[in-house]
Amino acid sequence: MSCATVTSLRALPRVAAMLVAVAVWVVPVLWVVATSLKPRTDIFTLPPRLWFTPTFEHYRVALGTADILRGLSNSALVATLTMLLTLLISIPAGYAYARLRFPYREPLFFYTLFTQMAPPVGFLIPFFLAFSRLRLLDTHAGIVLIYLSMSVPFAVWLMTTYFLDVPRELEEAALVDGCSRGRALVRVVLPQVYGGVAVTAVLSFINAWNEFIYASVLTGARVRMAPVAIFGFLTTEETLWGPFAATAVLIMGPVVVLALLAQRQIVRGLTLGAFR
Amino acid sequence: MRPSRIYPSPGEGPAASAELPGAVPGGRALPRLDREARLALLLVGPSLAVLLAVSTVPLLVLLGASLFRIELTRPWVGGFVGVANYAAMLEDVRFWHSLQVTAVYTLTSVALQLLLGLAFALALSAVVRGQGLLRVAVLLPMILTPVVVGLVWRTLLLTPRYGLLDYLSILLGLGSHSWLGDPRLALGAVIVMHTWQWTPFVFLVLAAALAALPVEPYEAALVDGATPWQRFRFLTLPLLRPAIVTVVVIRLIIALRAFDAIYAATGGGPGTATEILNLYAYRVAFNSLNLGYGAALTTALLLFTLGATVVFGRVRGAVEASP
């Protein structure tokens, strides 16, 4: 047996594992996309029909449903606001934890991380009680405020790790040249962590866009979010698979696009916790 | 029990943190340090104010609520009841059942994720071509809207006869089943779903750890004629141990928070077959509208998560400290 055959035979299980991995995680997603484009009569044909004339009928139905359209725009608004506020709050905090000396720095950082340990179900009851008194139920402000509780701890921690990677010398040089700390932060340090800002932005947007528990209890008809609205196609009386799949694609589409744009950074952001 | 500061006004942030003990170290500190500390508190102030308002105050409210009887369907029976809710919990068969389901769900799915993630990481560690495609593929399940993932599994994948996975099961000769409707199959089905969602996380972390392993021991082992199994058992596994422990700890803590996908797929049913503690607390509070008892259940859940975090953190620290 020649050397080349040995290596190619050795590679066989690896190639097989690769194909299995891609199939296991990609096929279900493609299946949703295919269903969303199938004519109604083809959705339930067995064996599954792989060749069909694509139709946008289900998307028309989905977007023609007031609840879905409003859900998508509410979700987009709330996720964008959450992302912007998260950046506004967490960039300065991350910088301070990474660079400045101040009393109780470690305990405060630990506190920030620790707040995200609590399961969201734990916050539902207090938020419900508080929001019904403060008249914040079913308002954009209320739900954005709650989403900050999910995104701020994570974002502060992520930004801190990115600021720690910036060489101190850069900033010290700027300080020596007469820059104030604020100016040095904006002009010299911030451009070095644009990657980190992008990951923080993308992940806080995705988290808010995907959120379900708070949205299901603390919002109603006015501020209904897309992940809650999609349940409307799956009632006990009828299951509209076509429009359901189309809505699923509309909800997951933006997330997938963002993930494709920033995949390396997101993988780093998601797995960072395992290495620190 | 009135949460007075749920909504931080602008400018409240720095003020709130200036009240922290020790924030003003008096005249002892050098002027430069003093200015640095003040700037720092200005920068971290808003984040602390937000977290205080949306995370610490709510937890205190939760603790308070668990000592009251609050039933929205019967508003007239309210009042302070002390630890009665907790006493009721200990006698509640459904509570103990939900704990059992949580344990099975969490431990089984994390074990499966570890086995599959490690297998994939080992098998794919040397693959050069297609890394980009692979990264996208494994990224998908982790970032897709969990509640939509749950609904997709419930409909397009697991519906008897028409779901893709049920069709596969028929092709494999296993027959068609009501995967989520049969109490004997439902828990297994949601465990498989959770494993599908989160094996990629284990895979990514372990693949990165594998890539960072030193080469020298392997060269020495090859010279000594070690078999692949020996190399795995006596080199790779011990070297990966810290990464494995870390990933298991993180997955266990996050699995304890699982809610969306399982809620969408089964809602805890059929009956209580897939009712993890999270779902039971949610059902008590927002389906039966018994907020006081729901608060006691979620407090118990919080304590479990906290305990698990502390215990797992210790284990992780011990493993990292050992040679």
Side-chain angles (χ1 to χ4, degrees), chain A residues 214-227:
Chain A
Y214 294 132
S216 77
V217 171
L218 302 172
T219 64
R222 210 170 69 81
V223 191
R224 178 155 299 147
M225 311 273 260

Side-chain angles (χ1 to χ4, degrees), chain A residues 13-15 17-22 24-29 31-32 35 43-48 89-90 92-97 99-104 108 111-131 133-134 136 141-142 145-146 148-149 152-153 156 181-182 185 203 206 209-213 216-217 227-228 230-231 234-235 239 241 244-245 248-249 251-252 255-256 259-260 262-264 266-267 270-271 273-276, chain B residues 1-3 6-8 20-25 32-33 36-37 39-41 43-44 46-48 50-56 58-59 61-62 65 70 72 120 122-127 129-149 151-152 154-157 159 161-164 167 195-197 199-201 204-205 208-209 246-247 250 253 256-257 259-260 263-264 278 281-282 285-286 291 294-295 298 301-302 305-306 309 316:
Chain A
R14 295 181 188 284
V15 174
M18 179 90 168
L19 289 177
V20 168
V22 172
V24 163
W25 283 299
V26 174
V27 168
V29 180
W31 188 247
V32 180
T35 307
I43 289 182
F44 293 105
T45 0
L46 281 179
I89 293 169
S90 63
Y95 175 78
Y97 285 121
R99 274 293 188 273
L100 303 176
R101 278 172 304 166
F102 55 100
Y104 299 104
L108 288 177
Y111 165 76
T112 304
L113 285 190
F114 202 69
T115 52
Q116 68 176 354
M117 289 297 176
V121 176
F123 290 131
L124 265 181
I125 294 172
F127 278 135
F128 182 78
L129 291 171
F131 276 27
R133 290 194 187 195
L134 297 170
L136 280 172
L145 186 65
I146 288 179
L148 289 181
S149 75
V152 165
V156 167
R181 265 211 186 265
L185 168 60
L203 289 178
I206 291 181
W209 175 269
N210 282 349
E211 205 284 326
F212 171 75
I213 313 182
S216 77
V217 171
V228 179
I230 193 174
F231 276 81
L234 303 172
T235 57
T239 356
W241 280 28
F244 163 73
V249 171
I251 294 177
M252 303 196 290
V255 174
V256 173
L260 290 182
Q263 32 166 314
R264 275 173 199 279
I266 292 185
V267 168
L270 281 175
T271 55
F275 298 111
R276 294 269 173 179
Chain B
M1 224 193 48
R2 177 178 302 156
I6 199 83
Y7 211 61
L20 288 167
V24 187
R32 204 193 135 270
L33 179 70
E36 182 171 324
L39 173 66
L41 291 174
L43 294 180
V44 298
S47 71
L48 294 175
V50 165
L51 291 179
L52 210 60
V54 294
S55 144
T56 303
L59 283 187
V61 175
L62 177 73
I70 311 168
L72 295 186
F120 274 121
L122 288 170
L124 297 174
S125 62
V127 175
R129 253 189 286 171
Q131 285 291 342
L133 177 64
L134 186 66
R135 191 167 51 229
V136 174
V138 299
L139 197 54
L140 281 176
M142 289 192 285
I143 52 152
L144 293 177
T145 318
V147 75
V148 177
V149 168
L151 289 176
V152 165
R154 180 176 119 193
T155 55
L156 302 186
L157 297 182
T159 299
R161 286 204 54 221
Y162 300 112
L164 185 61
Y167 179 69
T195 306
W196 180 80
Q197 275 182 291
T199 297
F201 180 86
L204 284 174
V205 173
T246 303
V247 84
I250 295 180
I253 292 171
L256 281 174
R257 304 159 51 106
F259 182 91
D260 290 12
Y263 174 88
N278 266 329
Y282 180 91
F286 296 101
L291 293 190
T298 37
L301 175 70
L302 275 174
T305 316
L306 195 69
T309 311
R316 187 180 172 187

Side-chain angles (χ1 to χ4, degrees), chain A residues 5-255:
Chain A
T5 350
V6 173
T7 31
S8 65
L9 273 180
R10 283 242 177 107
L12 206 61
R14 295 181 188 284
V15 174
M18 179 90 168
L19 289 177
V20 168
V22 172
V24 163
W25 283 299
V26 174
V27 168
V29 180
L30 291 180
W31 188 247
V32 180
V33 178
T35 307
S36 76
L37 294 170
K38 278 182 186 177
R40 205 145 40 99
T41 44
D42 284 350
I43 289 182
F44 293 105
T45 0
L46 281 179
R49 195 166 285 178
L50 298 177
W51 294 114
F52 54 91
T53 335
T55 164
F56 287 98
E57 173 65 17
H58 303 310
Y59 287 89
R60 212 181 50 74
V61 173
L63 290 174
T65 311
D67 229 23
I68 298 296
L69 202 57
R70 215 171 329 130
L72 288 169
S73 68
N74 276 330
S75 283
L77 176 66
V78 166
T80 309
L81 284 175
T82 305
M83 176 190 81
L84 292 176
L85 283 172
T86 303
L87 290 180
L88 207 64
I89 293 169
S90 63
I91 293 175
Y95 175 78
Y97 285 121
R99 274 293 188 273
L100 303 176
R101 278 172 304 166
F102 55 100
Y104 299 104
R105 192 177 69 149
E106 277 78 30
L108 288 177
F109 188 64
F110 183 74
Y111 165 76
T112 304
L113 285 190
F114 202 69
T115 52
Q116 68 176 354
M117 289 297 176
V121 176
F123 290 131
L124 265 181
I125 294 172
F127 278 135
F128 182 78
L129 291 171
F131 276 27
S132 36
R133 290 194 187 195
L134 297 170
R135 302 194 180 283
L136 280 172
L137 284 178
D138 204 14
T139 61
H140 291 100
I143 200 79
V144 168
L145 186 65
I146 288 179
Y147 286 177
L148 289 181
S149 75
M150 306 189 301
S151 63
V152 165
F154 177 74
V156 167
W157 169 69
L158 206 56
M159 283 316 302
T160 305
T161 65
Y162 276 94
F163 277 121
L164 280 172
D165 286 348
V166 179
R168 265 177 191 276
E169 292 76 30
L170 275 178
E171 198 181 347
E172 275 156 12
L175 288 177
V176 169
D177 287 348
C179 270
S180 69
R181 265 211 186 265
R183 245 179 106 79
L185 168 60
V186 174
R187 287 288 175 83
V188 180
V189 184
L190 214 48
Q192 300 290 318
V193 293
Y194 277 161
V197 174
V199 183
T200 310
V202 165
L203 289 178
S204 58
F205 182 93
I206 291 181
N207 277 340
W209 175 269
N210 282 349
E211 205 284 326
F212 171 75
I213 313 182
Y214 294 132
S216 77
V217 171
L218 302 172
T219 64
R222 210 170 69 81
V223 191
R224 178 155 299 147
M225 311 273 260
V228 179
I230 193 174
F231 276 81
F233 290 124
L234 303 172
T235 57
T236 36
E237 298 95 60
E238 50 171 5
T239 356
L240 301 169
W241 280 28
F244 163 73
T247 311
V249 171
L250 290 172
I251 294 177
M252 303 196 290
V255 174

